[in-house]
Amino acid sequence: MSDYLSAANFPSSSPAQADGLALALETLLREGPADDMYALLAGYQRILADNRQRRRWPGLHARLQTLFQCGSEAVLDGPMIGVTLSIRDTDWFRKAAGLAGHDRSLLASVELMATAWNMTFADTGLWMGKTFEPVAREVVADRTGDQDIMALYDPESTRIGRNFFREPPDPDLVQGLGLPYLTRFWHLRPRPTSTDAEMFGGRLLAGNLEKEKSIPYSMTGGIFLANPGTSVVPEMNGRRVYQLNYRWPRLHPAFPVTLLIDELVRIDEGIYLGQLVFASRHFSLGELPLATDPEKSLVLGEPYTGEGGVDYGYQNNGYFLMLDPAFARQVYADTAFPQLRPRPGESGYHELGYDRQEEGRLKKDSAGSRPGKWPGIRDWVQGWQDNDALCAKFTTFLREESPRQEDGDVRGLRQENESILQMLQRISRRVSASSAHDDRLRHFEKFNRLFRSGIAPRVENGLFQGHGSRGYNCRVDGSEPRDWYGVADVARGFDFYHGANLNLHLGFTDTWCPDPERRPADPLLFPATLGSMLTENVHLPNLLDIVWHSIGKYIFPWAGKSFERISGRKLSMLLDESDDLARRYPARVAELRRHLASLPHYALVEKAAAHYWSQPGLYADHLADGPWDDGMAAADREFWQEEARNRWVDGCNIEDRRILVADALFRIIDMNYRTPDPALQAISEAGPSPFARQGYIFLGTSDRDSILPMNSGDKGKKKVFQFHYRYPLVGGPAPIGFCVDELVEIADGLFLGQLIYATALDVGFRSSLDPAEYRYQLFGYFLLMDDAWEYHRRAIGLDVWQHEASTGQG
């Protein structure tokens, strides 16, 4: 595959090591794509950038080490496209781990740096590469402050270098801070456009600036001096490398660059593999300007001097690539690193012909020849009207007779040439305007009517089932076994729906003041001011709705809900309210106790143990003989299996990629928070709005009477699909333990949900208690949607958190 790779390039300490290295090289080259080093390395990068595949990381690090050891010595010159392959934690307990026979300590194996990088910048193209520029002898002498280094100076191989940076596409909050932070602390400067620009002491060559046009970047800095040298990593046995030293104090490095030395070797034509090397001893934390003299600064820690004989504790901290821009089209290919490809308006987009390629693609798309689930739909705002199937889907209500006679026919709410989703958006805007200064449920009456006229989804053979043409958005089984209390199984019958909020309401006010129109019986009983407020019928503004639409939807990463089959065993555990839960399920109860955010659920366990309730839970008869694994009779097991087949599903809330910036926090506060099975996440990534995490689990159940009196009327109780978060062993962060959502379907694949919370917070949950004891109140409305509705929602801008193009192909 490469003429530049050979085990002979590495100074092995023994014939056995040399033979082992040769075998390792032969194996990895044989396993990779034939004659395509770009594809091989891109495959490594995609796995190393995926936190779900961390179990494969050690093996890939070993392969990269093999490539590095077998690479050829080379000198780099001019600009190079950069690719981060991996970032590794410094192993501060490496020696202790070695004594125990391990390559890395347990703490380092957590790979916190890699996890954080993957959650934020891994595929954004924030770092785009480096350039290596000629430098004068006197500049090197000045930057090192040490004339002894001048013995290594060679105008043919000594270079001063700088890094390239650009703004990530569609940055989130953390990504948006990246480039401003680097500009401030790494002293970045704008991209040079002529050889007259002063760039940190290097000599700008016209030929190099021309090559840079293939690399999209806007800011540059992060200075280093480069020279051929001997690797400082002990495992490299003194092999020759091209060394990039950021540590010289007069380069003004900011921590952690004060620890950094990069090392490079060539592994193929135009492809250089680099290893990040950090010092773990004798390093500086950077400079602190003196208040008395801003021109001077105080070095925090131990300044680097470059002296020989000092053990800096150098370690490998990851790998990166330097790629010759002469092969830019191969670098940016779909099989290589398309995430780095120039975007419209950036350098390289026109130079490499991507503008012409895009024009050709748009012409092809406009003819309706682009494949897709809904071919020809270019305008998801109104273009659906030209597709008979979508037009019927978007304008036809699914409805049943409301329990209230006065609700009438909700079909009259939709205007001509308006989809049901556009109708909901219009109503939502009016609710926001009407309730802004008067947060009463009277403003939600159209939503209330729609809900009471919708049809409750059902459970069939353990699957969530709607009433539309298919009755589901997707159906797929997982691939990774998941453990539930000692029994591993994959997800079965997985389905998910995208989520959006319509309007929120402070339900506590309906408990505090059930009739806001009623005047006090005797105003004289109240102080003058308070009496005036109550008798003048002053109403509160809808702060929840205002905050959501102005701030909340841009911050909170809720993206919808998922459903899958639940086993009778798991269902019996999660619905168990026995007095001896700690004995029956010690590990689960211990989890509740460890997760402070789940204290409301753990409090139910303690109340049950103290016999707080006089009556047992609804399912006590089928749990009396013991849990599933310890004493449950065969008849009771059959009961739970039947319940799982016909009435219950396992549910999760899903979150989009915004949650990744707080991934570590959510793993602490939500005991059920998890990374989705790759097979399930792949399904979402093929659609309009991928999800990144699952959490806030619930039990979904069909054919239930609504717990809100407002949903019932003279014709009986409204049947709904309910989401239960309240059972003690469900767990989850407060206040989710006070929540019971209800759902109906109002159009094919479009569901209207009520967000319902208990307002009697001091009444512990028991399934056998009358729901009225908990004073459940409506806190707002939300939507669940299949893929078609989601494309439409994004196009019309209903509760979206980022700008969406109004035209988009399904």
Side-chain angles (χ1 to χ4, degrees), residues 34-88:
D35 298 322
D36 192 346
M37 184 65 77
Y38 292 107
L40 174 69
L41 296 168
Y44 291 176
Q45 188 271 336
R46 281 189 282 273
I47 295 170
L48 291 166
D50 187 350
N51 288 339
R52 298 167 299 176
Q53 303 193 58
R54 61 176 62 246
R55 288 177 296 182
R56 301 178 64 182
W57 292 355
L60 292 183
H61 286 136
R63 287 175 170 84
L64 289 169
Q65 179 174 293
T66 296
L67 287 173
F68 190 88
Q69 289 174 328
C70 296
S72 304
E73 184 180 358
V75 172
L76 279 72
D77 190 46
M80 295 285 166
I81 302 168
V83 179
T84 302
L85 294 178
S86 71
I87 296 177
R88 309 190 73 188

Side-chain angles (χ1 to χ4, degrees), residues 641-653:
Q641 290 170 340
E642 187 70 13
E643 284 287 299
R645 280 192 295 268
N646 299 318
R647 294 174 69 91
W648 297 87
V649 292
D650 203 351
C652 275
N653 284 274

Side-chain angles (χ1 to χ4, degrees), residues 378-381 790-797 800 802-809:
R378 299 299 308 156
D379 177 9
W380 277 95
V381 177
E790 176 66 3
Y791 279 114
H792 186 36
R793 175 184 81 97
R794 288 172 36 155
I796 66 176
V800 295
Q802 59 184 354
H803 174 72
E804 302 285 355
S806 62
T807 61
Q809 174 65 33

Side-chain angles (χ1 to χ4, degrees), residues 480-492 567 569:
E480 284 192 349
R482 299 174 313 192
D483 179 80
W484 174 258
Y485 229 78
V487 175
D489 195 9
V490 299
R492 304 288 183 186
S567 68
R569 177 179 181 270

Side-chain angles (χ1 to χ4, degrees), residues 748-761:
D748 183 355
L750 179 64
F751 302 84
L752 182 63
Q754 289 184 328
L755 182 63
I756 301 170
Y757 279 89
T759 59
L761 304 182

Side-chain angles (χ1 to χ4, degrees), residues 206-501:
N208 285 345
L209 290 181
E210 184 66 24
K211 293 178 183 178
E212 285 187 15
K213 290 182 179 180
S214 298
I215 307 176
Y217 78 93
S218 58
M219 301 297 289
T220 184
I223 309 306
F224 57 86
L225 290 172
N227 246 326
T230 300
S231 176
V232 295
V233 179
E235 291 80 7
M236 290 298 109
N237 292 359
R239 72 146 299 158
R240 297 290 294 175
V241 295
Y242 195 59
Q243 209 163 66
L244 287 54
N245 194 328
Y246 292 80
R247 303 193 66 194
W248 298 105
R250 294 192 183 184
L251 294 176
H252 303 291
F255 183 84
V257 179
T258 53
L259 288 64
L260 178 61
I261 291 179
D262 289 339
E263 297 182 345
L264 286 155
V265 296
R266 187 187 317 208
I267 61 173
D268 206 346
E269 182 65 30
I271 301 178
Y272 304 84
L273 178 61
Q275 66 170 345
L276 296 161
V277 180
F278 279 86
S280 60
R281 302 188 189 94
H282 308 295
F283 55 81
S284 164
L285 297 175
E287 300 177 345
L288 182 66
L290 296 177
T292 55
D293 187 352
E295 298 299 321
K296 296 182 179 180
S297 59
L298 174 67
V299 176
L300 303 177
E302 190 172 338
Y304 175 76
T305 63
E307 293 180 9
V310 178
D311 181 7
Y312 289 103
Y314 287 118
Q315 296 182 20
N316 172 282
N317 285 78
Y319 293 94
F320 64 97
L321 295 174
M322 292 276 87
L323 306 171
D324 192 330
F327 303 97
R329 291 303 296 260
Q330 292 97 308
V331 175
Y332 301 140
D334 289 340
T335 56
F337 307 101
Q339 71 272 22
L340 305 181
R341 189 178 299 161
R343 303 188 290 266
E346 290 186 317
S347 179
Y349 187 74
H350 170 73
E351 288 81 358
L352 295 172
Y354 291 113
D355 52 347
R356 297 183 293 277
Q357 179 179 316
E358 181 69 10
E359 289 174 5
R361 185 189 66 79
L362 291 175
K363 288 179 181 179
K364 184 178 180 181
D365 287 351
S366 65
S369 59
R370 179 181 176 184
K373 192 173 181 180
W374 295 279
I377 304 297
R378 299 299 308 156
D379 177 9
W380 277 95
V381 177
Q382 297 295 343
W384 53 268
Q385 297 183 21
D386 299 324
N387 183 294
D388 291 342
L390 278 178
C391 188
K393 179 184 178 77
F394 283 2
T395 59
T396 304
F397 287 91
L398 291 177
R399 60 195 179 91
E400 63 183 13
E401 188 176 12
S402 169
R404 291 195 173 191
Q405 180 71 35
E406 67 271 20
D407 280 347
D409 191 344
V410 295
R411 290 178 295 184
L413 295 174
R414 189 181 71 85
Q415 298 177 356
E416 188 177 359
N417 297 324
E418 183 181 55
S419 72
I420 294 174
L421 197 62
Q422 288 168 321
M423 174 200 76
L424 292 168
Q425 184 181 43
R426 172 172 51 83
I427 295 173
S428 176
R429 288 169 175 166
R430 291 182 180 176
V431 171
S432 292
S434 301
S435 68
H437 304 290
D438 180 17
D439 186 15
R440 283 184 289 171
L441 280 178
R442 60 192 295 267
H443 303 299
F444 290 73
E445 192 52 39
K446 290 180 179 178
F447 286 149
N448 301 340
R449 289 176 55 199
L450 283 164
F451 186 88
R452 290 191 290 262
S453 299
I455 308 175
R458 57 192 187 274
V459 175
E460 292 185 357
N461 193 27
L463 301 173
F464 179 82
Q465 183 70 36
H467 297 273
S469 56
R470 291 200 311 172
Y472 61 91
N473 186 40
C474 70
R475 289 272 169 84
V476 64
D477 291 340
S479 59
E480 284 192 349
R482 299 174 313 192
D483 179 80
W484 174 258
Y485 229 78
V487 175
D489 195 9
V490 299
R492 304 288 183 186
F494 177 85
D495 192 8
F496 80 98
Y497 291 85
H498 309 279
N501 282 295

